[in-house]
Amino acid sequence: MSENPTTAAAQAATPQTSLPQDVRVGIIGVGRMGADHVERIRGRIKGARVSVISDYLRETAEKVSAETPGSRVVDTPEEVIAAEDVDAILIASPGAFHRDQTLAAIAAGKPVLCEKPLAMNPQDAYDVVRAEAASGASYVSLGFMRRFDAEYAELKDALDAGELGTPLLLNCKHRNATVLPGFNDTMMVYDSAVHEIDAISYFLEEPVVSVQTVVPRTTELAPEGLHDPLLFLFRTESGVIVTDELWVSTNAGYEVRTELVGSKGASTIGQASGRVTTQLEGGRWGGDVPLDFRPRFVAAYDAEVQAWINAVADGSNVAPRSATAWDGYVGAAICEATERSLTADGEVPVALEARPS
């Protein structure tokens, strides 16, 4: 049977649909976190590949690049941002460089996923907010991976659906097995409590107006100069009280638990069924307590990066529920007030600039 000429002509005239090109990601900083992200994109993220890498130690970048087919190494973050074979930027450099590198990415018109913090102080973070607003587009995602944790999402969905009623209390617990020598109260704020501070924005979506520090008796396991545990009390604009209990010298393992108390009921995430004993060496939680954050949140990191890549590919640049530049600024302002509360009597107010339209 001969081929239908009309059909054949129509097929020939129809352009062939090509597969979408992978998002080409430039990585700035490939220490522990940056190297984790390279491995993640290389092995578990769809629709993306690492194309350009830089690190303060070029030999570190070259080692990571050698394990990442199709990537190349450049000397500076500026070269990563300007590279023609880079569509989006992932910043995992030390926090002191985040402001300038994020501003450069905005100026280049390239989406950026920046690990926390956005900047080292609220003023610098607000610079990023204003620059993004002036650009007329959304470019900045901030790496608060808990927003992409399945249990966090389940609790957020229940709250948004009205299942728990009006929020009254948000109780957070954050525990580590150990911390490095020299870890102090200020680091407790910026390295640990910052995650719960972002959780306030994520779950409650309203400003924090004040914060107070309560200092219990300190464990003998704490490094010299660290009050451990610490309790932070936050008050939101509508009157919700948020407690954040931080205990980072448990000698047991890593735990994050969150309880939302609402007018219709309370819901808790982060705790498996069964008896939990964290005072014993090694920890018990119906089995074992992980030693650090990576086993607990590896799936959240994967989901965060995949959602970012999907947003870059569809042109929205920032995934739904991702922390934004504004969230980074709000977190920086709350952290600054929390640091002041370490040595203050009573509540310390939190001041925020107006959000640019």
Side-chain angles (χ1 to χ4, degrees):
M1 181 181 295
S2 63
E3 184 179 13
N4 185 322
T6 302
T7 302
Q11 290 176 341
T14 302
Q16 299 298 309
T17 301
S18 60
L19 293 175
Q21 179 180 338
D22 284 346
V23 173
R24 300 166 297 180
V25 180
I27 309 284
I28 300 174
V30 284
R32 182 177 69 170
M33 199 69 250
D36 279 354
H37 282 314
V38 171
E39 189 276 332
R40 177 171 292 107
I41 293 170
R42 186 175 63 228
R44 300 193 296 279
I45 301 303
K46 297 179 180 179
R49 65 179 179 86
V50 175
S51 58
V52 181
I53 297 171
S54 75
D55 191 88
Y56 174 74
L57 298 174
R58 186 179 174 95
E59 58 268 32
T60 300
E62 289 176 344
K63 179 180 178 182
V64 172
S65 180
E67 300 169 350
T68 309
S71 68
R72 63 188 180 90
V73 174
V74 296
D75 289 323
T76 67
E78 291 78 13
E79 291 176 87
V80 175
I81 294 167
E84 292 185 358
D85 54 343
V86 167
D87 304 309
I89 315 295
L90 196 156
I91 297 174
S93 55
F97 303 106
H98 289 184
R99 171 193 177 273
D100 290 348
Q101 291 168 359
T102 303
L103 287 174
I106 293 171
K110 294 185 178 181
V112 57
L113 173 59
C114 179
E115 282 298 335
K116 68 158 185 80
L118 179 61
M120 302 304 289
N121 59 67
Q123 294 74 28
D124 284 351
Y126 194 63
D127 287 345
V128 178
V129 171
R130 291 192 299 177
E132 184 182 49
S135 76
S138 297
Y139 288 110
V140 181
S141 304
L142 196 57
F144 283 108
M145 77 294 180
R146 291 189 194 177
R147 289 170 174 248
F148 294 89
D149 175 67
E151 291 186 50
Y152 259 58
E154 187 177 359
L155 180 56
K156 175 65 171 169
D157 287 343
L159 183 60
D160 288 350
E163 178 184 328
L164 303 175
T166 303
L168 307 174
L169 294 167
L170 184 64
N171 298 313
C172 305
K173 299 182 186 296
H174 183 155
R175 295 173 179 172
N176 292 64
T178 59
V179 290
L180 296 174
F183 196 89
N184 57 31
D185 292 354
T186 298
M187 296 172 72
M188 186 83 92
V189 174
Y190 289 97
D191 288 9
S192 299
V194 63
H195 287 284
E196 285 76 47
I197 287 170
D198 182 68
I200 301 172
S201 294
Y202 176 65
F203 287 119
L204 303 179
E205 298 183 11
E206 63 173 309
V208 170
V209 296
S210 67
V211 56
Q212 180 178 359
T213 298
V214 178
V215 184
R217 174 185 292 180
T218 296
T219 172
E220 64 274 12
L221 298 175
E224 185 176 355
L226 175 66
H227 294 93
D228 187 30
L230 278 178
L231 180 65
F232 298 126
L233 303 177
F234 303 93
R235 185 185 301 274
T236 72
E237 189 174 58
S238 72
V240 179
I241 297 298
V242 181
T243 68
D244 188 12
E245 175 207 304
L246 296 121
W247 180 22
V248 297
S249 304
T250 68
N251 201 31
Y254 180 82
E255 299 176 78
V256 168
R257 299 204 294 273
T258 306
E259 178 191 49
L260 193 290
V261 178
S263 59
K264 294 182 180 179
S267 187
T268 303
I269 59 173
Q271 182 169 354
S273 60
R275 185 166 66 93
V276 177
T277 305
T278 57
Q279 292 88 344
L280 302 180
E281 184 176 355
R284 297 291 182 270
W285 190 341
D288 294 327
V289 178
L291 293 180
D292 64 26
F293 66 92
R294 283 168 291 187
R296 170 66 179 85
F297 285 117
V298 63
Y301 278 113
D302 288 353
E304 172 191 48
V305 175
Q306 185 66 70
W308 176 59
I309 291 298
N310 293 347
V312 172
D314 70 23
S316 60
N317 294 341
V318 179
R321 291 193 178 175
S322 174
T324 63
W326 177 254
D327 294 316
Y329 162 67
V330 170
I334 298 172
C335 281
E336 183 182 66
T338 305
E339 181 183 6
R340 288 189 282 117
S341 79
L342 292 170
T343 55
D345 292 329
E347 297 183 359
V348 172
V350 177
L352 293 177
E353 300 283 354
R355 185 171 186 170
S357 59

